Amino acid sequence: MAAQILIVEDEPAIQDLITVNLMHAGHSVRCASDAELAHQMLKDWMPDLLLLDWMLPGITGLEFTRLLRSEARTRDVPIILLSARDAERDKIAGLEVGADDYITKPFSARELLARVAVILRRRIPQVSAGVVRAGDLVLDPSARTVFCNGRKVSLGSTEFRLLHFLITHMDRVYSRSQLIHHVWGADFDGNDRTVDVHISRLRNALEPGGMSCLIRTVRGSGYSLTLIG
Ligand code: CA
């Protein structure tokens, strides 16, 4: 389960310690020493998770969490707050502004990695390397294979990511702009029509296995992957 993680922490020793442990666990890590810098980085890069120190120079981690939750682009990014403040009211304040979890300093590497894994599994299941299924469609993220009724489906990398996202978020409807955000991220260089083109290629690839109807067009809203007809 390799994720891209942004650490926002002003103490170099703690920043290093967290970085080493996360990289050892297979994650890619970038660091910022304050919220302003992190906010700048988020303009053209979207991590899978933020580890955010509460006590930062300038904007605090708590205020930054509130800011990220108020902006459409970062509203859903998973956030774990790190803090030496272990009062119950501080934890509640952190969770109330929208943090997914709260880790009290000092923490062990094991606790940090365990909590990161829990949040990643819960919030972004497509990052986990487990095999996912929808009926007779089986997608294996680590092998990068898709089987449809037992026959192998060959997909381009964008169609693969699109299918992986939809299959891990079944029965939910996503607009084209939401799909752009989740599947393409900041690398997107196209328009809504681009999404339609890739959806169409994905349906064509699933057609021989009789599964193209899995991807439903929800008029005026977007697309969804669902098993029920
Ligand atoms: Ca600090």
Side-chain angles (χ1 to χ4, degrees):
M1 180 158 54
Q4 300 195 47
I5 299 177
L6 174 60
I7 301 168
V8 191
E9 166 66 68
D10 58 316
E11 288 165 62
I14 299 179
Q15 198 186 86
D16 288 351
L17 186 72
I18 299 174
T19 302
V20 165
N21 282 291
L22 290 175
M23 288 180 70
H24 190 68
H27 301 298
S28 319
V29 174
R30 288 173 72 180
C31 297
S33 51
D34 61 51
E36 286 85 353
L37 182 58
H39 201 212
Q40 200 60 37
M41 289 164 78
L42 291 172
K43 290 199 188 329
D44 52 18
W45 175 61
M46 188 54 62
D48 298 309
L49 173 72
L50 258 87
L51 285 177
L52 180 56
D53 185 30
W54 179 311
M55 300 296 265
L56 292 167
I59 301 170
T60 68
L62 193 71
E63 290 162 352
F64 191 41
T65 302
R66 191 180 287 124
L67 173 69
L68 294 174
R69 289 295 178 250
S70 72
E71 295 181 348
R73 227 176 91 70
T74 52
R75 183 175 297 147
D76 296 325
V77 66
I79 297 173
I80 299 179
L81 269 176
L82 310 173
S83 178
R85 305 162 69 120
D86 66 351
E88 189 184 49
R89 65 170 187 279
D90 289 331
K91 293 180 190 171
I92 292 171
L95 298 173
E96 276 180 351
V97 296
D100 293 87
D101 199 3
Y102 187 106
I103 304 180
T104 306
K105 291 179 182 174
F107 48 81
S108 69
R110 278 178 70 175
E111 180 185 6
L112 173 75
L113 294 175
R115 287 177 181 256
V116 164
V118 166
I119 297 300
L120 290 175
R121 267 201 305 275
R122 186 195 306 160
R123 292 291 308 278
I124 39 167
Q126 74 269 29
V127 169
S128 81
V131 170
V132 274
R133 295 162 197 278
D136 294 320
L137 192 66
V138 182
L139 181 147
D140 182 342
S142 42
R144 289 197 80 80
T145 55
V146 176
F147 284 88
C148 191
N149 281 318
R151 63 193 282 176
K152 192 167 180 182
V153 179
S154 102
L155 289 178
S157 68
T158 303
E159 287 73 38
F160 186 89
R161 280 185 286 135
L162 190 54
L163 180 62
H164 195 190
F165 178 76
L166 290 170
I167 207 170
T168 49
H169 296 82
M170 276 173 58
D171 301 320
R172 282 181 253 174
V173 179
Y174 288 91
S175 67
R176 290 169 180 81
S177 60
Q178 285 171 322
L179 288 174
I180 290 167
H181 169 72
H182 289 291
V183 177
W184 282 266
D187 300 333
F188 188 72
D189 179 26
N191 53 38
D192 283 2
R193 174 84 189 110
T194 314
V195 178
D196 298 339
V197 167
H198 287 283
I199 287 277
S200 162
R201 284 188 198 156
L202 179 55
R203 281 188 176 132
N204 289 341
L206 298 177
E207 183 68 55
M211 303 289 277
S212 64
C213 57
L214 273 183
I215 317 284
R216 297 162 64 81
T217 304
V218 181
R219 202 170 293 277
S221 299
Y223 295 102
S224 120
L225 190 151
T226 176
L227 282 174
I228 312 150

